Amino acid sequence: MAIGLCFQTLLYAQTSSDTPVDLKNQGQTSLDQKEYIKARYYFKQAFRAFAARDEYEQAVKCSVQANALYLRENLYKEGFDLCRDMDQVIAGGEQKHNRPLYGLRFITTQERLKMFTSLKNPAKAKEQLYQLEEIANQAKNDSLNETLLYTKADYYYTFGQNQQGDACFQQLITQYKDKKDYDKVSDCYRTLIGLATKAGNAPLVGRTYDKYIVWTDSVKTLTAQDELNVLKRKYDSSQQTLAEKEHELSVKQYKIIALCTLCLILVAALVLGVIVLLRFILMNKKLKKNIEIANEHSQLKSQFIGNISAQMEPTLDALAATAGDLPNAPQQSKLMLSQVDALKKFAEDIQELSSLENTLNEPYGGAKEINVNTFCENTMNKVKEFVDLDVETVVEAAKLQIKTNPEQLERILTHLLKNAAFYTTTGKISLEYKRRAAHTHQFIVTDTGPGIAPEQQEDLFKPFTEIKNLTEGDGLGLPICSLVARKLNGSLAYDGSYKKGARFVLELHV
């Protein structure tokens, strides 16, 4: 006992003359040498020395390091006592400077939260969490709010509240994405993977890793675009330098050429330029005139088709009413109604086909984020009522997000799936999704039906290539789908190499 008292007395005599910085450095040196008790002592002395000089931020930093060494040995009572000392120092600083020190109060509260979390005391830990949130709200500091979200996530995962923890990290990721701080987004994913690994939460590790892989691909795309922009600027700069050098060389050459020869060349070039310019002007006028005539004809055609459809509608409605009033001939009435409906559908499809052809250069708006897997499952469910009981339906699509017009995409896929259901009596119908590049996506509809004859494949997407009974369909579905795909910045094609049925490939660039 006497020896220990002498040791502390000697140590105090040694440190009493040291500056706060010296004490802090000695504590760090002892920590690096794994002399934890000695390091803790120096950090506490540095805390008191900095506090005596009103250097509150440095004082709190030293006390946090000392508290970490208390926690290392499960000395919670000493840790809470040290937090109390920190509160007293901070309160004195606030009174002296007449302003709140939110950042330092946040740190001391966070230290108490760590200890209660380590003690597995969720009630006390939650009280500290509420205090942290109140301090952050009062401070109105972005950095404290970000730290608060990390702290809340750690608390939720520690006590098994995974859904709340996910919400905290998603809020952080959204904030960093809005600020275009992509490095911090990656740090969020890595931190979450670390927390989940530490907690032994395998599902959270897997789910987060999948999202991180998708995000990494997106970052690579953004980085590649930045590199491309840098290369383009370098290329433009090189082209400008080359143009300047060529200009200088031309100037030197012109000085060597005799004046008379230069005049002849200039005159010849001027004559030739005038001829080319006049010809260009004439051709341009002619081209503009042809475009105006073509646009006018196209508008007249659309108007003509619209007028015909409008004029046919009352007649078709009257025929439908007449067919319904045939009480003695129900079979004939049913046949007439079917023919009238077919004519109406034909008129509508012709009008839409004309409208699509006139607006091909106007892409669809209304793009939304969709989950590919959920979207494909829902689309397949909507056509199952048309599928024979002996036919299996399969959906193979990853859980990825893409941005497109969901209504028009569903319209194309629904038509292809209904066609497949009509021609397939056994086997299966499948809807697949494949990602070919960062902005290239494919939706593939495959069936085990009879397929399409090679001589018919070339005209699949051309309207009016065959004459058929309108009650069996007007043959305009695939041409309309092809035009809709083009307005979605994509293309619709038939895979002629597939021999076990029919396969259509819809490729989008979004």
Side-chain angles (χ1 to χ4, degrees):
M1 189 74 173
I3 295 174
L5 184 60
C6 291
F7 172 77
Q8 284 198 356
T9 303
L10 290 171
L11 194 58
Y12 178 78
Q14 178 186 350
T15 59
S16 60
S17 61
D18 291 335
T19 66
V21 176
D22 292 335
L23 293 170
K24 178 182 176 183
N25 292 337
Q26 291 176 33
Q28 186 61 49
T29 301
S30 299
L31 182 62
D32 293 340
Q33 295 174 354
K34 298 184 179 180
E35 297 177 354
Y36 302 116
I37 296 176
K38 192 174 179 181
R40 189 175 65 212
Y41 174 82
Y42 280 121
F43 282 131
K44 286 183 64 177
Q45 294 301 319
F47 158 65
R48 294 189 177 95
F50 277 121
R53 293 189 177 189
D54 294 344
E55 296 181 29
Y56 305 110
E57 185 174 353
Q58 289 296 329
V60 170
K61 286 183 179 179
C62 291
S63 65
V64 168
Q65 289 181 292
N67 194 50
L69 294 170
Y70 277 134
L71 291 181
R72 186 180 181 278
E73 298 179 21
N74 297 326
L75 299 175
Y76 296 102
K77 180 181 181 304
E78 290 81 355
F80 286 116
D81 290 341
L82 184 57
C83 286
R84 231 177 350 259
D85 292 341
M86 283 193 281
D87 284 338
Q88 292 176 358
V89 169
I90 294 170
E94 289 177 334
Q95 186 175 5
K96 186 171 183 178
H97 295 286
N98 195 26
R99 63 181 177 85
L101 302 175
Y102 293 119
L104 300 184
R105 287 202 173 277
F106 189 96
I107 292 174
T108 57
T109 307
Q110 196 174 31
E111 288 300 305
R112 287 194 183 88
L113 174 61
K114 288 180 184 177
M115 289 188 283
F116 283 126
T117 301
S118 182
L119 288 169
K120 302 300 181 184
N121 189 335
K124 290 290 185 181
K126 195 171 186 178
E127 290 179 7
Q128 302 304 313
L129 194 63
Y130 284 149
Q131 289 186 25
L132 279 177
E133 191 167 7
E134 184 177 354
I135 293 170
N137 290 336
Q138 291 174 347
K140 297 180 180 179
N141 182 289
D142 291 342
S143 178
L144 284 186
N145 284 321
E146 291 172 3
T147 304
L148 173 64
L149 286 172
Y150 273 114
T151 306
K152 289 173 72 174
D154 187 31
Y155 166 84
Y156 289 134
Y157 287 131
T158 300
F159 294 106
Q161 301 178 40
N162 294 336
Q163 188 173 1
Q164 292 91 327
D166 288 348
C168 291
F169 267 99
Q170 188 56 49
Q171 186 177 347
L172 270 171
I173 289 169
T174 301
Q175 289 177 4
Y176 291 142
K177 283 183 179 178
D178 292 341
K179 295 177 182 178
K180 299 186 182 301
D181 195 344
Y182 303 129
D183 289 338
K184 285 192 177 181
V185 174
S186 299
D187 289 341
C188 275
Y189 282 119
R190 287 193 288 268
T191 301
L192 180 53
I193 292 171
L195 289 174
T197 303
K198 182 180 177 182
N201 191 336
L204 180 58
V205 172
R207 187 170 69 250
T208 307
Y209 186 76
D210 289 343
K211 293 180 179 178
Y212 180 59
I213 292 300
V214 174
W215 167 249
T216 303
D217 290 341
S218 301
V219 171
K220 289 179 180 178
T221 302
L222 293 170
T223 304
Q225 184 62 45
D226 291 339
E227 292 175 353
L228 181 61
N229 291 336
V230 171
L231 290 174
K232 187 177 183 302
R233 286 195 294 271
K234 289 182 178 179
Y235 174 79
D236 292 340
S237 177
S238 299
Q239 288 294 101
Q240 184 178 359
T241 303
L242 182 61
E244 291 173 356
K245 296 295 184 182
E246 289 178 349
H247 177 70
E248 293 175 0
L249 181 60
S250 298
V251 171
K252 292 179 180 179
Q253 289 175 343
Y254 289 146
K255 291 180 180 179
I256 299 174
I257 298 174
L259 183 59
C260 58
T261 306
L262 180 60
C263 291
L264 290 174
I265 293 174
L266 289 175
V267 170
L270 181 60
V271 172
L272 181 60
V274 170
I275 294 173
V276 171
L277 181 60
L278 290 173
R279 185 177 180 184
F280 175 77
I281 292 173
L282 291 174
M283 291 180 64
N284 192 36
K285 287 184 177 180
K286 185 177 180 180
L287 181 60
K288 285 183 178 179
K289 185 64 177 177
N290 290 337
I291 292 173
E292 290 175 359
I293 293 173
N295 289 336
E296 184 179 353
H297 287 176
S298 179
Q299 292 174 358
L300 289 173
K301 182 187 74 173
S302 298
Q303 186 178 359
F304 177 71
I305 291 173
N307 290 339
I308 289 178
S309 298
Q311 292 176 14
M312 286 176 61
E313 188 172 350
T315 303
L316 293 175
D317 290 340
L319 284 174
T322 302
D325 294 335
L326 295 175
N328 299 325
Q331 189 65 28
Q332 184 180 0
S333 174
K334 184 176 180 181
L335 177 60
M336 185 177 293
L337 284 172
S338 174
Q339 292 171 342
V340 170
D341 289 340
L343 281 172
K344 284 184 175 180
K345 180 66 168 57
F346 184 54
E348 291 171 359
D349 286 349
I350 289 177
Q351 192 168 3
E352 182 175 13
L353 187 70
S354 176
S355 176
L356 287 170
E357 288 176 344
N358 289 334
T359 59
L360 273 183
N361 294 326
E362 303 172 11
Y364 287 117
K368 301 176 183 176
E369 288 280 350
I370 63 170
N371 182 288
V372 177
N373 180 268
T374 304
F375 179 83
C376 291
E377 290 281 0
N378 292 340
T379 303
M380 180 64 82
N381 289 336
K382 290 180 181 179
V383 300
K384 281 187 177 179
E385 62 178 296
F386 304 100
V387 180
D388 287 352
L389 295 177
D390 295 334
V391 177
E392 178 187 6
T393 58
V394 179
V395 174
E396 297 180 12
K399 295 181 179 180
L400 295 177
Q401 298 289 122
I402 67 171
K403 190 171 184 180
T404 186
N405 185 303
E407 291 80 11
Q408 299 302 330
L409 175 59
E410 180 182 324
R411 179 184 180 187
I412 297 174
L413 295 180
T414 300
H415 182 82
L416 296 177
L417 290 170
K418 283 184 178 180
N419 276 0
F422 182 81
Y423 289 104
T424 305
T425 56
T426 59
K428 70 176 182 178
I429 298 171
S430 67
L431 173 57
E432 301 175 71
Y433 164 80
K434 293 183 179 180
R435 184 179 180 179
R436 295 303 186 187
H439 299 286
T440 302
H441 311 270
Q442 287 186 348
F443 294 85
I444 304 170
V445 176
T446 307
D447 63 55
T448 56
I452 299 174
E455 62 272 13
Q456 296 177 326
Q457 294 175 12
E458 184 178 352
D459 297 329
L460 270 179
F461 304 106
K462 298 177 182 178
F464 314 116
T465 56
E466 61 176 330
I467 299 174
K468 56 191 299 187
N469 189 339
L470 291 180
T471 58
E472 298 175 0
D474 54 25
L476 297 180
L478 286 177
I480 289 175
C481 286
S482 178
L483 294 176
V484 172
R486 289 174 63 182
K487 286 172 70 68
L488 286 174
N489 194 24
S491 62
L492 180 62
Y494 180 78
D495 185 359
S497 63
Y498 184 73
K499 303 300 181 184
K500 297 180 180 179
R503 171 173 288 168
F504 287 86
V505 179
L506 171 63
E507 183 169 287
L508 301 181
H509 304 279
V510 297

